[in-house]
Amino acid sequence: MNKYKIISFDEIDSTNCYALKNILELEDKTIILAKMQTKGRGRFDRVWLSNNQENIYTSLVLKPRFKNLSNTPLANLTQYMSLTICKTLESYGISPKIKWPNDVLVSKKKISGILAETSIKNNEFYGLVLGVGINLNLDQTDIKKIDQAATSLNLELGEKVNRDEFFKILLDTFFSEYDTFLMSGFKYIKSSYIKKCDFLGKEITIRNLQKELRGTVTNINDDGSLSLKVADNLSEIKILAGDIIC
Ligand code: BTN
């Protein structure tokens, strides 16, 4: 069902931290939204610059209730969200790509990032927090402060973007197929996801568990993992998590 509740803040440390701290009280499909974050966090302990009021800094609190949680595609929710971000950007006439597993790029520059964190205590699953940062309205000074190639929707369009309008399309798109996705898993989005990936068949370097591997991407599998034919011994490795660095 397409019903969600939004809790908004002018300033907060991190929407993910707030969601995790209050996970017991927060209902399923509660959305934490902030205009600014003082301690925005990215993947691999990076800082997520969060000082622009017209960007999106949000966390979705998701508490799927399934009898068998291990069959629930929690790990793939970031990929489902990356596809949702692509669809939303496409509604603005932009052609984004996904850098596995969930970065969204426009003209090879990062426009959004996703940080998923699970809350489990004493073997009990309390919920998943899906943190999303999207560059909607940055200027060149902001862009220069980011430690990797980055862009923003306003720079791609040549005009300011209405944050509320973008956010509504994003959430409506996310929840329109969320229940079906939870029941069906990554296979449900596999073909659409693959269409957005331009590294299939290409040679890449991936950082995985402090190691760097170089090889050719041969497949995105039914579970959302990536198959890599490693350059030196031609063996094929299935990668479940990591970061494509070039
Ligand atoms: C990445 O490193 O690519 C992930 C960035 C995720 C940033 C978002 S902004 C909202 C939420 N709160 C945080 O502190 N981080 C995530």
Side-chain angles (χ1 to χ4, degrees):
M1 209 177 34
N2 220 355
K3 218 172 141 210
Y4 49 83
K5 173 180 161 189
I6 301 177
I7 303 179
S8 297
F9 292 91
D10 282 343
E11 188 178 298
I12 198 166
D13 51 355
S14 148
T15 54
N16 265 38
C17 290
Y18 178 89
L20 287 169
K21 256 184 243 150
N22 298 286
I23 195 100
L24 286 181
E25 294 79 44
L26 295 169
E27 282 172 29
D28 181 31
K29 301 183 185 171
T30 300
I31 317 297
I32 315 300
L33 176 67
K35 284 191 174 158
M36 300 230 246
Q37 299 184 118
T38 51
K39 285 188 185 147
R41 298 187 285 115
R43 293 169 71 213
F44 309 110
D45 288 330
R46 290 192 196 115
V47 170
W48 188 260
L49 281 182
S50 311
N51 56 357
N52 189 305
Q53 306 215 3
E54 302 294 333
N55 277 343
I56 287 180
Y57 313 113
T58 190
S59 298
L60 281 63
V61 176
L62 302 170
K63 298 179 162 182
R65 300 254 166 261
F66 278 90
K67 283 197 185 113
N68 188 350
L69 199 65
S70 58
N71 286 344
T72 310
L74 287 183
N76 302 112
L77 272 166
T78 65
Q79 290 167 310
Y80 176 71
M81 176 52 96
S82 66
L83 201 56
T84 302
I85 296 169
C86 286
K87 287 182 189 166
T88 308
L89 289 169
E90 280 163 359
S91 74
Y92 285 75
I94 298 292
S95 303
K97 292 282 177 197
I98 297 174
K99 188 175 90 166
W100 185 89
N102 56 49
D103 279 350
V104 177
L105 311 184
V106 176
S107 318
K108 300 197 186 304
K109 293 181 260 182
K110 182 157 164 166
I111 197 160
S112 78
I114 301 172
L115 175 67
E117 296 181 287
T118 309
S119 173
I120 296 174
K121 279 176 201 135
N122 304 325
N123 266 339
E124 196 184 337
F125 171 75
Y126 289 165
L128 178 107
V129 172
L130 197 55
V132 181
I134 310 177
N135 300 336
L136 287 192
N137 291 292
L138 291 184
D139 59 29
Q140 289 298 345
T141 318
D142 298 322
I143 293 282
K144 284 189 192 126
K145 289 182 198 151
I146 300 175
D147 59 357
Q148 53 189 310
T151 189
S152 177
L153 185 54
N154 65 316
L155 297 176
E156 300 298 323
L157 294 175
E159 63 187 19
K160 188 172 184 263
V161 179
N162 182 308
R163 174 180 178 260
D164 295 346
E165 268 172 34
F166 186 97
F167 197 47
K168 183 171 178 353
I169 302 173
L170 182 83
L171 292 179
D172 287 347
T173 308
F174 183 89
F175 286 113
S176 65
E177 292 182 279
Y178 172 71
D179 292 338
T180 315
F181 174 75
L182 281 187
M183 281 185 292
S184 321
F186 183 75
K187 272 195 263 180
Y188 180 68
I189 58 162
K190 185 178 170 186
S191 67
S192 319
Y193 181 90
I194 285 179
K195 281 188 199 141
K196 298 271 162 280
C197 296
D198 57 4
F199 52 81
L200 259 177
K202 294 200 179 137
E203 201 168 291
I204 57 150
T205 301
I206 193 159
R207 192 180 293 128
N208 170 250
L209 303 173
Q210 320 293 347
K211 275 194 307 190
E212 280 184 17
L213 288 168
R214 184 144 184 91
T216 305
V217 180
T218 53
N219 204 9
I220 302 285
N221 304 303
D222 283 355
D223 59 1
S225 65
L226 180 145
S227 288
L228 192 73
K229 194 167 238 179
V230 183
D232 50 358
N233 60 9
L234 292 185
S235 60
E236 211 161 68
I237 301 178
K238 190 170 163 177
I239 314 241
L240 297 166
D243 201 22
I244 297 178
I245 50 176
C246 57

